[in-house]
């Protein structure tokens, strides 16, 4: 057992992927008999969708500290995070639409329930559907958008409660601060607990991947492997475009800093992000690189980098758009333009709930698939290669955190460009 856990998870997943493909190739359609193992793995992922989003979003908003802190630094950083997230997800949708990684794969041998036709678009009903009339019903039905709205409101409510008690008399203020702090810590604890549960579920990944890959290859043949290879390639292409075009453009045109110096100063954090596939684990390294190598003041870097590690997931947003198109093409689901906007909105806002740990994107994937009626069986195709793609997505996310941090600091006059230029000479 110790030997098993001594092997890095990604290596176990890759081995399971290869063994599953070989097993499915030789076993053929009979491999469907072990699909139940993969189904259980997917059920565990579905189990995490609601609590992980709820606790992570509330904790992320409450961690800002107070609404006043969302001043000149906060609105600049959040605006950049939102804009880059939207560009990233539409890039993923564009790559999926133009290059069609899931087209041509025969899925007639896969048994699944009927996929209902997309409902006609009505912007009034869409606006109303965002309102969590019954939070309990929203959670029970796994309606992601109103769940995120409710979670945001709870987080803002905690911030407002903190602000109100600070204006009361001393005794009430002390009691109120303690109460608000306890609630905030409870949500922090809940987010941490479900991140740990996600880690436990991810330990099941090799078994789920083996069974699902054997089933996919046994049922569909090697065409499924070719489709996955195309998806992996598009994932890396999309991430490289985000880093090489969008982030480079922001650094050069908005922050007006040395792009080469930036990447040389961030190389340690990018390497850790790629190897661990965890933006949370990379956070200390990112802070050190932005402060020591890029010359960002400590208060600004601490706030923006920490905020970015929670709400900035450009690589994940791009991939969620791409993976949704991939699933829709595999199973022949016609997506309307309204569905595209729904995907863009959920992938950007929902990335707040994507835990900064390996496999967190799989949870959000299931949530978005449910919202636009793409079959969850799509997860069976991508779970085996998700870790390979997650490494690149995390490196992109961390690079985005640092890009927005440097740009915000430059606008606020809190960037020592001499430090950044010195990194250019390393």
């Amino acid at each position: 057992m110790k030997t098993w856990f001594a092997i890095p998870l990604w290596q176990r997943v890759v081995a399971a992927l290869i063994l599953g493909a070989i097993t499915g190739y030789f076993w053929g359609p009979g491999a469907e008999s072990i699909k139940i193992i993969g189904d259980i793995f997917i059920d565990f992922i579905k189990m995490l969708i609601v609590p992980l989003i709820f606790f992570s979003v509330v904790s992320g908003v409450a961690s800002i500290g107070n609404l006043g802190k969302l001043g000149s630094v906060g609105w600049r950083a959040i605006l950049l995070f939102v804009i880059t997230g939207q560009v990233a997800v539409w890039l993923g949708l564009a790559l999926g639409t133009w290059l069609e990684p899931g087209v041509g794969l025969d899925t007639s041998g896969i048994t699944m329930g009927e996929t209902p036709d997309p409902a006609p678009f009505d912007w009034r009903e869409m606006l109303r559907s965002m309102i969590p009339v019954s939070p309990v019903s929203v959670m029970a039905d796994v309606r992601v958008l109103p769940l995120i709205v409710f979670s945001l409101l709870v987080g803002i409510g905690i911030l407002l409660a903190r602000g109100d008690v600070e204006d009361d008399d001393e005794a009430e203020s002390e009691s109120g601060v303690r109460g608000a702090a306890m609630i905030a810590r409870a949500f922090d604890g809940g987010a941490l607990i479900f991140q740990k549960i996600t880690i436990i579920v991810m330990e099941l990944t090799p078994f789920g991947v083996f069974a699902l890959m054997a089933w996919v290859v046994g049922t569909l043949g090697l065409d499924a492997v070719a489709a996955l290879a195309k998806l992996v390639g598009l994932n890396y292409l999309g991430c490289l475009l985000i880093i090489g075009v969008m982030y480079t453009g922001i650094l050069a045109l908005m922050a007006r800093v040395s792009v080469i110096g930036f990447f040389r100063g961030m190389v340690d954090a990018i390497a850790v992000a790629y190897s661990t596939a965890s933006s949370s684990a990379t956070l200390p390294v990112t802070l050190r690189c932005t402060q020591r190598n890029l010359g960002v003041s400590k208060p600004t870097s601490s706030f923006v980098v920490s905020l970015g590690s929670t709400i900035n997931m450009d690589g994940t947003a791009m991939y969620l758009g791409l993976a949704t198109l991939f699933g829709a093409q595999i199973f022949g689901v016609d997506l309307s333009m309204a569905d595209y906007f729904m995907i863009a909105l959920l992938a950007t806002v929902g990335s707040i709930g994507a835990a900064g740990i390996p496999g967190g994107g799989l949870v959000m994937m299931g949530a978005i698939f449910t919202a636009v009626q793409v079959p969850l069986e799509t997860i069976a195709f991508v779970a085996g290669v998700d870790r390979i793609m997650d490494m690149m997505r995390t490196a992109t996310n961390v690079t985005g955190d640092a890009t927005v941090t440097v740009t915000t600091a430059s606008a606020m006059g809190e960037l020592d460009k001499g430090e950044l230029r010195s990194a250019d000479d390393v």
Side-chain angles (χ1 to χ4, degrees):
M1 185 65 70
K2 289 183 178 179
T3 304
W4 170 261
F5 287 108
I7 302 173
L9 179 61
W10 71 270
Q11 294 182 12
R12 284 179 271 152
V13 170
V14 171
L17 171 69
I18 297 172
L19 290 174
I22 294 172
T23 301
Y25 179 75
F26 286 104
W27 197 350
E32 187 173 0
S33 60
I34 62 172
K35 178 177 174 284
I36 181 64
I37 300 173
D39 290 338
I40 292 173
F41 171 63
I42 293 177
D43 287 341
F44 272 115
I45 291 177
K46 291 161 64 177
M47 172 193 74
L48 292 169
I49 292 174
V50 169
L52 190 60
I53 290 176
F54 179 57
F55 282 103
S56 295
V57 172
V58 174
S59 175
V61 174
S63 67
I64 293 173
N66 57 72
L67 291 178
K69 200 170 183 179
L70 288 174
S72 56
V73 174
W75 76 261
R76 284 182 172 86
I78 292 175
L79 181 62
L80 278 173
F81 285 143
V82 171
I83 292 175
T84 56
Q86 277 291 293
V87 172
V89 69
W90 281 105
L91 173 62
L93 290 170
L95 291 174
T97 301
W98 293 337
L99 300 179
E100 301 181 327
V103 170
L105 189 61
D106 183 10
T107 59
S108 58
I110 295 180
T111 303
M112 65 175 189
E114 285 189 20
T115 302
D117 294 330
F121 177 66
D122 186 333
W123 67 268
R124 298 175 185 84
E125 289 301 317
M126 181 177 178
L127 284 178
R128 291 189 62 191
S129 69
M130 296 170 60
I131 301 174
V133 178
S134 171
V136 175
S137 175
V138 165
M139 293 180 181
D141 297 338
V142 196
R143 292 163 53 202
V144 181
L145 194 54
L147 173 62
I148 291 175
V149 172
F150 178 67
S151 304
L152 289 170
L153 289 174
V154 172
I156 292 172
I158 293 174
L159 295 180
L160 288 174
R162 286 176 173 173
D164 288 343
V165 297
E166 289 174 357
D167 296 331
D168 293 338
D169 60 65
E170 184 176 347
E172 291 183 357
S173 177
E174 183 179 352
S175 175
V177 168
R178 284 202 304 268
M182 287 176 62
I183 295 174
R185 284 199 299 269
F187 279 101
D188 289 342
L192 179 61
I193 288 169
F194 280 98
Q195 287 180 14
K196 297 298 183 184
I197 294 175
T198 302
I199 293 174
I200 294 173
V201 172
M202 287 304 108
E203 288 295 330
L204 301 176
T205 304
F207 306 102
V209 165
F210 173 80
L212 293 171
M213 187 54 59
W215 164 63
V216 168
V217 175
T219 305
L220 303 178
L222 294 179
D223 288 343
V225 178
L228 283 174
K230 190 173 183 179
L231 178 65
V232 173
L234 289 180
N235 176 80
Y236 273 72
L237 174 62
C239 288
L240 289 174
L241 287 173
I242 291 172
I243 295 173
V245 178
M246 182 167 66
Y247 292 161
T248 297
I250 291 174
L251 291 167
L253 301 177
M254 295 182 63
R256 298 184 180 278
V257 298
S258 167
V259 174
I260 296 176
F262 171 86
F263 283 103
R264 286 185 174 175
M266 279 296 296
V267 65
D268 290 345
I270 294 173
V272 172
Y274 187 84
S275 60
T276 63
S278 171
S279 54
S280 295
T282 312
L283 182 59
V285 185
T286 307
L287 285 171
R288 188 181 72 237
C289 288
T290 53
Q291 293 170 11
R292 296 184 181 180
N293 300 341
L294 304 184
V296 181
S297 67
K298 188 173 182 179
T300 299
S301 64
S302 297
F303 175 63
V304 179
V305 171
S306 299
L307 183 66
S309 68
T310 303
I311 71 172
N312 178 51
M313 300 284 177
D314 291 345
T316 303
M318 183 280 301
Y319 172 65
L320 289 173
L322 176 61
T324 307
L325 265 293
F326 180 71
Q329 292 161 3
I330 287 177
F331 293 105
V333 179
D334 293 326
L335 296 178
S336 65
M337 183 54 65
D339 290 323
Y340 273 61
F341 281 103
M342 177 65 76
I343 295 167
L345 181 60
L346 287 177
T348 303
V349 180
S351 62
I352 298 174
I357 54 178
L362 284 177
V363 179
M364 279 310 304
M365 190 186 303
I368 293 176
F369 289 172
T370 301
V372 295
Q373 301 173 337
V374 170
L376 288 177
E377 283 83 352
T378 305
I379 298 177
F381 288 86
V382 303
V385 294
D386 183 72
R387 175 66 184 220
I388 300 172
M389 295 185 286
D390 199 7
M391 295 164 71
M392 188 63 195
R393 297 198 304 266
T394 305
T396 304
N397 296 338
V398 168
T399 305
D401 294 343
T403 298
V404 172
T405 300
V406 168
T407 304
T408 303
S410 178
M412 297 297 299
E414 297 187 15
L415 177 68
D416 183 355
K417 295 187 178 182
E419 288 288 338
L420 203 150
R421 282 193 293 270
S422 67
D424 199 5
D425 299 329
V426 173

